[in-house]
């Protein structure tokens, strides 16, 4: 502890976040909030997809390019990817015990989540503006 | 040392599968599988934004045998996770913990999954005049 006294870090700062309880409640809540949002949003999405997957381009673009679809699809993508990242995080924490691997995987799904959400929403904007 | 063996958490290899444990692990498996589906979804949206060639390629992929099998499994996983997710939310609200309710809702989820998955696909084919 001799070094600790020479450090700018306080004793509290050194130990904070090292216990088992980190931000669990927040995580638990967001998993539930996104789950509740996904009930109507994912039903809307699946109903839509059932009718536009495997149809001709004009029909699909007509549906995808409407402002209503843009709004709902964006909300769906955000809720879906947020929920999936939170969920996968728990699965990784449960099964991966090596600290390094766990950290890499957690970073990977976070970055992938942001990237996929941005890509999906930008694609939707382009379809709405330019008609694909 | 205690002379009695201590209770241990279930060792899955020797643990008899029960409705409760099976519905629980299925929620995790379907959650993971559904997450994988985000990749083709975003690819499909990008293809739709990229023009006719890219989009037709994506549609052909979705309509291929592999594409259809994946979409069918994804629909099944979706309805399972949706129904069992509602079951989870009911538990979180403090409802449905009695054993008879746990079994009743568990079977409802399983049967509902089969019914809704088949219904979605029949509707999809019917909408294209293929049924
Ligand atoms: C359709 C896209 C969805 C994806 C990709 C997805 C993904 C996931 C994943 C990966 C998990 C973590 C599983 C685990 O920890 O074992 C999870 C958990 C959960 N999901 Fe979803 N999910 C989706 C839709 C839904 C919907 C519509 C609901 C609404 C009822 C829902 C409710 C839940 C709940 C309540 C949990 C937490 C379960 C627990 O605490 O064990 N999910 N989801």
């Amino acid at each position: 502890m001799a070094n600790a006294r020479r450090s700018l870090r306080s004793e509290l700062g050194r130990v904070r976040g090292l216990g088992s309880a980190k931000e669990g409640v927040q995580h638990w809540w967001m998993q539930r909030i996104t789950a509740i949002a996904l009930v109507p949003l994912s039903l809307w999405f699946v109903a839509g997809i059932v009718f536009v997957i495997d149809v001709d381009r004009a029909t699909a673009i007509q549906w995808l390019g409407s402002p209503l679809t843009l709004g709902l699809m964006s909300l769906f993508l955000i809720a879906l990817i947020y929920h999936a990242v939170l969920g996968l995080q728990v699965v990784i924490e449960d099964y991966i015990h090596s600290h390094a691997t766990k950290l890499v995987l957690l970073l990977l799904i976070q970055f992938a989540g942001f990237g996929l959400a941005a890509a999906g929403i930008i694609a939707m904007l382009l379809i709405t503006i330019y008609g694909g | 040392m205690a002379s009695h063996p201590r209770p241990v958490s279930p060792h899955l290899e020797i643990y008899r599968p029960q409705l409760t444990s099976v519905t629980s692990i299925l929620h995790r498996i379907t959650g993971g599988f559904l997450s994988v589906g985000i990749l083709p979804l975003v690819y499909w949206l990008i293809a739709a934004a990229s023009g006719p060639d890219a989009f037709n390629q994506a549609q052909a992929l979705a309509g291929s045998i592999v594409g259809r099998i994946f979409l069918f499994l994804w629909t099944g996983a979706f309805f399972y996770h949706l129904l069992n997710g509602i079951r989870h939310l009911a538990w979180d609200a403090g409802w449905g913990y009695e054993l008879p309710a746990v079994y009743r809702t568990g079977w409802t989820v399983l049967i509902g999954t089969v019914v809704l998955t088949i219904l979605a696909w029949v509707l999809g084919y019917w909408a294209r005049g293929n049924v």
Side-chain angles (χ1 to χ4, degrees), chain B residues 6 8-18 21:
Chain B
R6 305 302 301 158
V8 292
S9 61
H11 283 277
L12 292 182
E13 322 84 70
I14 58 160
Y15 200 71
R16 186 169 65 84
Q18 300 168 32
S21 59

Side-chain angles (χ1 to χ4, degrees), chain B residues 5-90:
Chain B
R6 305 302 301 158
V8 292
S9 61
H11 283 277
L12 292 182
E13 322 84 70
I14 58 160
Y15 200 71
R16 186 169 65 84
Q18 300 168 32
L19 186 67
T20 42
S21 59
V22 169
T23 51
S24 168
I25 193 61
L26 272 179
H27 196 75
R28 176 155 281 194
I29 293 169
T30 54
F33 183 66
L34 289 171
S35 305
V36 173
I38 296 170
L39 294 169
L41 167 59
V42 172
Y43 156 68
W44 187 73
L45 292 176
I46 292 174
S50 302
D53 287 348
F55 187 68
N56 289 338
Q57 205 180 339
Q59 289 290 71
L61 216 57
S64 71
I65 268 295
V66 176
R68 272 171 215 249
I69 291 174
F70 180 84
L71 286 169
F72 185 77
L73 293 177
W74 197 91
T75 326
F78 168 74
F79 283 117
Y80 177 82
H81 193 92
L82 171 72
L83 293 174
N84 201 54
I86 293 171
R87 187 161 168 252
H88 263 281
L89 294 175

Side-chain angles (χ1 to χ4, degrees), chain A residues 91-113:
Chain A
V91 177
I92 291 169
E93 286 167 351
D94 279 355
Y95 298 138
I96 309 290
H97 300 305
S98 143
H99 272 295
T101 315
K102 183 165 27 184
L103 186 66
V104 169
L105 284 178
L106 290 179
L107 284 173
L108 217 66
I109 56 163
Q110 299 270 356
F111 287 140

Side-chain angles (χ1 to χ4, degrees), chain A residues 32 50 53-55 94-95, chain B residues 28 59 68 78 92 127-128:
Chain A
R32 266 73 198 164
V50 162
I53 199 84
D54 197 23
V55 294
D94 279 355
Y95 298 138
Chain B
R28 176 155 281 194
Q59 289 290 71
R68 272 171 215 249
F78 168 74
D92 294 336
R128 290 168 186 73

